[in-house]
Amino acid sequence: MNVSRQQPAPIRLVGLTLGYDRHPAVHHLDGTVRAGDLLALVGPNGAGKSTLLKGMAGEIRCLEGRIERAGALAYMPQADEIDRSFPLSVMDLAGMGLWRRSGAWRSLRRNSRAIEAALSAVGLEGFEARPIGTLSGGQFRRALFARLILQDCPVVLLDEPFTGIDARTVDDLLALIAAWHAEGRTVIAALHDLAQVRAHFPSTLLLAREPVAWGPTSRVLTQENLARARNLSEAWDEGAPICAGRQAAGAHDHAHAHDHAAHGPGAHGHHEDAA
Ligand SMILES: Nc1ncnc2c1ncn2[C@@H]1O[C@H](COP(=O)(O)OP(=O)(O)OP(=O)(O)O)[C@@H](O)[C@H]1O
């Protein structure tokens, strides 16, 4: 792994609302993901985790506010968003990770050595020529992680990277993520397994269409915060328009189809991690 690569910059969310067709999916986000953070995004179904990752990856535009970030970023969407019918070999798929950096100077031989090393790091040696459509879910996930290794980006975004993956593969991939963290990269992952988050992710952003709590995992994943996240999600109105009054009112007194009553102290996602 190239240790001289670019270091990550912090990612700042400023008055951020993201959504689809002018309907917010997640809003009122303010806070900073520290450079080098290992951050879990947690929340009920529909809480806005994927939407936030898509916004950070530049796949959707901000409805309001902005995301300030710099440098290269690698993004792994949810498995069902990836077309596996495309006639690609495992080697081709992993090799796509080199596109950003590979120029004419990089020989095919050097490329293939790097790809083989990445495939070996995820336990896929011998799979180079296999069409991706023939891989099991776990093998395909490993191939995607090999592509991330080759992308070699300072910031890595993962959307539910372990869904449907067996325990051994999850352990291997968690070790890879821990190594990225140790190298100083920023890693942000949307996850549902709270035990896994507690064990492996020092920071957590708990979302329920808006930030419920953001900070050290042990302080965020409390019963009280989790209950508040459930209540907020249930109270959400899918058809609500974007909060046009927020900036004018500068507070929470604007007319809202969704319930803000559950806001508590610390709900506004300021990163309380002093370290
Ligand atoms: N392409 C889209 N078009 C319209 N609405 C969308 C789109 N993608 C997501 N949404 C809506 O945005 C909201 C947030 O969805 P999102 O996928 O971000 O949640 P999530 O926290 O990742 O959920 P899950 O845990 O179920 O994956 C949901 O109400 C969802 O229906």
Side-chain angles (χ1 to χ4, degrees):
M1 188 58 63
N2 173 17
V3 192
S4 63
R5 77 187 168 271
Q6 198 187 359
Q7 289 301 305
I11 302 171
R12 290 185 219 289
L13 315 180
V14 185
L16 181 64
T17 296
L18 293 165
Y20 307 90
D21 306 323
R22 303 295 295 165
H23 292 295
V26 54
H27 66 172
H28 298 177
L29 276 172
D30 282 288
T32 301
V33 182
R34 281 175 309 150
D37 204 355
L38 178 52
L39 174 71
L41 286 185
V42 171
N45 287 138
K49 304 180 293 296
S50 297
T51 301
L52 178 56
L53 289 175
K54 285 194 173 88
M56 287 178 177
E59 298 230 329
I60 57 172
R61 294 173 58 183
C62 307
L63 294 180
E64 278 191 349
R66 61 189 188 276
I67 298 171
E68 296 175 354
R69 64 167 196 84
L73 171 151
Y75 164 58
M76 184 197 277
Q78 285 191 17
D80 58 8
E81 291 181 36
I82 302 170
D83 180 9
R84 287 178 63 185
S85 64
F86 207 74
L88 280 181
S89 69
V90 169
M91 190 91 176
D92 294 332
L93 176 78
M96 285 163 66
L98 289 170
W99 285 1
R100 181 176 64 90
R101 291 174 297 133
S102 64
W105 56 271
R106 199 179 263 267
S107 76
L108 273 178
R109 235 170 98 209
R110 267 183 72 179
N111 265 351
S112 64
R113 270 209 306 271
I115 298 168
E116 280 161 12
L119 290 172
S120 166
V122 298
L124 278 185
E125 50 285 82
F127 283 76
E128 290 80 0
R130 280 276 291 273
I132 56 170
T134 69
L135 297 177
S136 75
Q139 289 163 345
F140 182 59
R141 196 48 90 172
R142 286 174 186 261
L144 291 174
F145 268 86
R147 185 171 72 178
L148 289 176
I149 290 174
L150 291 165
Q151 279 179 274
D152 195 18
C153 287
V155 176
V156 183
L157 309 181
L158 306 168
D159 198 345
E160 300 193 22
F162 309 130
T163 305
I165 305 301
D166 68 57
R168 207 194 98 211
T169 305
V170 170
D171 286 347
D172 289 351
L173 299 179
L174 278 168
L176 192 55
I177 289 173
W180 285 338
H181 178 53
E183 289 168 354
R185 299 175 205 260
T186 304
V187 182
I188 307 175
L191 296 164
H192 280 286
D193 181 339
L194 297 186
Q196 191 177 67
V197 171
R198 288 191 174 97
H200 300 282
F201 287 76
S203 312
T204 296
L205 166 54
L206 176 58
L207 270 184
R209 305 295 197 140
E210 59 185 80
V212 176
W214 186 351
T217 296
S218 58
R219 275 196 262 155
V220 168
L221 293 185
T222 61
Q223 291 312 318
E224 189 198 350
N225 284 339
L226 292 167
R228 190 171 344 132
R230 274 194 300 275
N231 291 340
L232 275 170
S233 271
E234 282 161 16
W236 179 270
D237 174 357
E238 282 284 339
I242 71 166
C243 309
R246 175 168 168 77
Q247 272 143 355
H252 284 176
D253 53 357
H254 54 290
H256 242 267
H258 33 270
D259 174 24
H260 276 177
H263 267 299
H268 271 264
H270 296 296
H271 202 147
E272 49 175 314
D273 190 349

